[in-house]
Amino acid sequence: MRTKFGASQIQNPTPQWAKYTFRIVFLLLSVAVFMISDYPGINEHTKLLLLKWFSGINMLVWGLSKLFGVVDLEISES
């Protein structure tokens, strides 16, 4: 098996290492959003900006995670 990257990998299964890496990023971003949304020391404009950036990073990471795929060498060679 070999890991590939690109739009052609959307239909292939995602490798385990990528799944865990992206899940950790999603978890950290979710905790950051939760903590920032209730933190009283940050003004509303800054909170909104941070939450917007975290959402954008979350979408980017999700999109990148779908571009990793595992290709079985026996199937791809035939």
Side-chain angles (χ1 to χ4, degrees):
M1 289 196 303
R2 188 171 65 179
T3 301
K4 290 183 137 187
F5 181 78
S8 63
Q9 301 306 309
I10 292 174
Q11 299 298 326
N12 292 335
T14 305
Q16 283 299 115
W17 66 266
K19 284 183 183 180
Y20 287 118
T21 301
F22 294 122
R23 286 177 184 171
I24 290 168
V25 171
F26 293 145
L27 178 65
L28 291 174
L29 284 171
S30 298
V31 169
V33 165
F34 177 76
M35 297 301 288
I36 287 173
S37 65
D38 286 338
Y39 190 73
I42 301 175
N43 67 36
E44 295 301 316
H45 176 70
T46 305
K47 280 184 192 180
L48 182 62
L49 192 60
L50 286 170
L51 296 176
K52 184 177 176 181
W53 273 97
F54 288 160
S55 295
I57 292 169
N58 202 18
M59 287 186 288
L60 176 67
V61 168
W62 182 81
L64 289 175
S65 73
K66 297 302 172 189
L67 297 178
F68 282 94
V70 175
V71 177
D72 191 4
L73 293 178
E74 294 174 15
I75 295 172
S76 65
E77 291 176 0
S78 26

